[in-house]
Each structure stands twice: as structure tokens, then as C-alpha cells.
Amino acid sequence: MPVHPAEPPSCNPQRRRLLLRIGALAGGAGALASTACATPAGQPPAAARRIACDDFDALWSGFVAAFVQPDGRVLDPDTEARVSTSEGQAYGLFFALVADDRPRFDALLYWTRQNLCGGDLTARLPAWQWGRQRDGRWGVLDANAASDADLWLAWTLIEAARLWNAPTLATEGRALLARIRAEEVVDVPGLGTMLLPGPQGFVSADRLQWRFNPSYAPLHLLRGLASADPGGPWTVLAEQSARTLPAIAPNGLAPDWATWSVQHSAPLRGRWIADTQQGDTGSYDAIRCYLWAGVAPADDPLRPALLQGLSGIQRHTRTLPLPERFATRAAAGTDPAALTRGTAPPGFIAALQPYLVALGDCTGARLLAERLATVCASPTTRLRYYDHALALFSAGWLQQRWRCDRHGRLQRAPSSSASRCPTP
């Protein structure tokens, strides 16, 4: 039975996409500046209540306080249904592993198992969305799975088993991995082996249009899963991500979604087009593409292609303000003002820092850190759920709290020493 949630925290994080799956650089590296989370209702803002974001430990403590309930549910309170997602649970588990917080990890895993997997993580893929239903009861809102969360969950369980010498976690992780292979990895006409965003809803009835999310398969996860499951498709999927990137992001800007369109002819051929539902917009999903490329293992042979294939974002990091949305397939010569919209939230700025550090663009990385510090200096700035998650990934990597080797094995460090920005 689903666990009835306790009264949610009163932080007001940014609304996460619910349909169609959404300081200063220390020593030339990058530590996030301070920001704030919404204060509890009825309590005045106070400097003492701010969540410092200049190190991973402070961010993790703030994330737990704002979004993780005692029963292990990661809550996004800025939604009418008070939702939790498989993504939020998987991210929480990873952060707990990096923090060496085994009790929190166990609570997060128990809640995920009981509420998203019907009590058995080996029996089904996790439902991606859970919350308050229209009749007021609490439970699964959408039973479809989200493959990015599934990959993060399987990899984190396998790595936790290794680092904590807990073989039962590896058993669950490998069982989940087998389900991902069976239900979310497909052979696409004219394209080859690909990772669907979920088991259902991403292939047209005539099987001529296939929708994909470029941010769903981080390179370090695929390398780790290939190490755990050498006979699986993970190495091929990693190579596909680099091979398809030039066509998916022809201007070096990642879209949130992309569609592979197959011509009904023999032999079957296809081409990448702007997504049939989301168009060519790059925003809340796509921001992770740059983050994942930045944190990819430094000696991975595919890393240079990923960094170069996304280099269109680099010039925009000099823009004030950093845009929230990009038109990623605009023709050459298009007025730059027509290519971007909105102002990026703090999490976007944080997510781009590892990418620029990986490029060796120390000047750009410092500018981002200064910009983040300016944004966070405002007393109205609040670090919302997605911002907080992106900042945790970024700060932890920049401070060398976590790294992955070329085999996708997690390397943790207890110190928070800043990462040095490579010389261009």
C-alpha cells in the first residue's frame, strides 16, 4: 500500500515538467555561491535560514530539509498534486551515496520500492509519477516509467553495493537493469539500438516516428552499466549518443526532445527532425546534456565529441542574462534575439560550470560563478527542487566529492577541495 505522505515542507521550488518528461570559482575551479530556500510559512526570511551552496554537504543538508520527507519521499511541493517522481528518488539516492548517508539512502530506497514498484523493485519498472490523485487519495499518477531515472537507479544500486559491501543492493540493481534492457532498449529502423524515454508513448502507431530525450543517458552511467553487464547494449548506447549528436544538435545546442522520422520506403531510412510535440526548444531537459558532458570521465574517448558537439552553448554563457530557452535548429543568420527566451534559473548557471571547466574555459566558468553569486545575493532568490538537484550534481563534482572513472565506477572523496580548471 502507498505510504500516506506527511505534511509537505513549505519550500516553494520551481514547477518541474510533469508531462512528457521534464561561488566564485575557488582556485580557478568552481564552488557555488550561496542562495536561499523559501522559509517555512509564517516565518520571516532571515540570513541565518539561508542554505549555503558553496559546498556539497551544505546543499545535501538543504535538499534533505526542503524536499526529503522522513519516510524517504522526495517531494516537489510546487505542484498541485504534491508529486514525487522516479527521477527525484533516483537523484536523492545518488546524493545520499555520495554523502555516505546510508540511513537516508535506505529510507529513500524503501519508499521507492514500496510506492513506485508495488513493493518489489525486481517485479516492474518504477512508476515515474506519484502524488495526490483527483479523489484525494495518494498513489501512482502515471505508471509509465522514465528510463533516465531507471538508469540512475540501477547504476546507483550497483555502485552502492560495491562501495558499502551490500550485495543485496546489486541484486536489485541488476534485476532492474534486465528490465530496462527488455522494456526500454529498442532497435529503431534506420538508426539502430536506442534507449526509449519510457516503455510506452514514444513511438507512433505506424512506427515511423520515434521520440527521444538526449539528456536521458549520461555517459558515465552507460560506462558503469557496461562494466556491470558486459553483454548488454550500454557501450552501443554510449556510442550512439556521440554519433547522433551532430544531427540532433546541428547548432551545438541540445534540444529537450528530438524525433527520428522514418521514410516509408525500401530500404528504410530516417532523419532527425524537430520534435513532433515539443519542437526544437532546448531548456529544462536539455540543460542536463551539458552537465553530463562536463562530468563525463576525463579519459573517456567519447568525451571530446560530446563536449564539441554541444559547444553552441558556450557563447551564450557570456550573455546577460543566461537564456531559459533556446531555438536549437534555427537557420544560420537568424536574429539572435529570436533564438532565446526567458531568464535561466540558478540551477542552469550551476549546471553549465562543469561543462566550461571541462572545455578549459576558465574565464567563462568564472563569469558563471560571478553571475550565480549576483543572482543569489537577492533576498528573493530561492533554490527550488530542480535548481537544487542541478546544483548538487555540479558542486559535488566541482569540489571533487564525486567523480567517475572511465569504467563508470563512482569515486568518492570526503574533502571538499575545489577542482582546478584545466588550462585551455
Side-chain angles (χ1 to χ4, degrees), residues 244-335:
T244 59
L245 186 58
I248 290 175
N251 296 323
L253 294 170
D256 290 335
W257 294 82
T259 293
W260 176 255
S261 180
V262 180
Q263 281 120 26
H264 203 18
S265 60
L268 285 176
R269 292 188 176 89
R271 63 189 180 98
W272 288 103
I273 62 173
D275 185 60
T276 53
Q277 297 186 33
Q278 302 294 307
D280 73 339
T281 298
S283 188
Y284 284 87
D285 283 279
I287 192 65
R288 295 178 299 191
C289 293
Y290 313 105
L291 175 60
W292 303 152
V295 303
D299 56 350
D300 193 293
L302 293 180
R303 188 194 197 209
L306 295 179
L307 293 173
Q308 179 59 37
L310 296 168
S311 61
I313 194 66
Q314 189 176 14
R315 68 180 183 275
H316 291 286
T317 61
R318 266 68 169 178
T319 303
L320 283 172
L322 182 72
E324 179 187 37
R325 301 178 187 278
F326 298 88
T328 63
R329 301 182 72 89
T334 302
D335 180 2

Side-chain angles (χ1 to χ4, degrees), residues 34 36 48 59 78 88 112 116 175 189 199 222 232 262 285 320 330 334 348 364 372 394 396:
S34 296
L59 281 164
D78 192 40
T112 303
L116 303 186
L222 295 174
V262 180
D285 283 279
L320 283 172
T334 302
F348 281 33
L372 188 62
S394 178

Side-chain angles (χ1 to χ4, degrees), residues 14-230:
Q14 171 184 0
R15 182 177 181 82
R16 189 73 169 97
R17 68 224 191 291
L18 296 180
L19 300 174
L20 296 174
R21 301 285 299 167
I22 61 172
L25 287 171
L32 296 175
S34 296
T35 187
C37 180
T39 54
Q43 297 186 29
R49 294 188 181 279
R50 287 191 172 187
I51 299 176
C53 294
D54 52 4
D55 66 55
F56 177 86
D57 291 323
L59 281 164
W60 173 236
S61 296
F63 188 86
V64 169
F67 310 116
V68 183
Q69 296 188 296
D71 62 3
R73 174 160 102 97
V74 178
L75 169 72
D76 183 350
D78 192 40
T79 55
E80 185 177 354
R82 300 290 186 178
V83 300
S84 295
T85 61
S86 56
E87 171 203 282
Q89 296 300 127
Y91 286 177
L93 284 161
F94 170 72
F95 300 142
L97 177 59
V98 172
D100 201 21
D101 188 345
R102 182 65 188 271
R104 193 77 56 183
F105 184 98
D106 289 343
L108 287 159
L109 181 58
Y110 181 81
W111 191 94
T112 303
R113 186 190 296 120
Q114 295 303 115
N115 292 278
L116 303 186
C117 302
D120 185 356
L121 195 61
T122 68
R124 55 150 295 159
L125 292 171
W128 86 269
Q129 189 186 80
W130 190 98
R132 186 166 52 205
Q133 301 168 339
R134 291 184 178 180
D135 61 5
R137 293 183 298 173
W138 296 88
V140 171
L141 300 175
D142 189 337
N144 201 12
S147 59
D148 63 330
D150 300 338
L151 289 181
W152 272 103
L153 183 55
W155 177 81
T156 300
L157 287 171
I158 291 169
E159 287 301 290
R162 179 177 65 85
L163 293 168
W164 282 331
N165 191 25
T168 57
L169 296 178
T171 299
E172 286 189 301
R174 292 177 188 280
L176 178 56
L177 200 56
R179 288 199 168 273
I180 296 171
R181 289 182 60 174
E183 301 180 42
E184 295 177 318
V185 177
V186 293
D187 187 57
V188 181
L191 189 59
T193 303
M194 293 290 289
L195 178 74
L196 280 176
Q200 302 172 8
F202 300 99
V203 184
S204 64
D206 58 10
R207 300 183 71 79
L208 295 180
Q209 290 187 328
W210 302 67
R211 302 184 63 233
F212 297 96
N213 190 309
S215 73
Y216 270 30
L219 180 58
H220 64 281
L221 295 192
L222 295 174
R223 294 306 195 196
L225 297 177
S227 297
D229 178 25

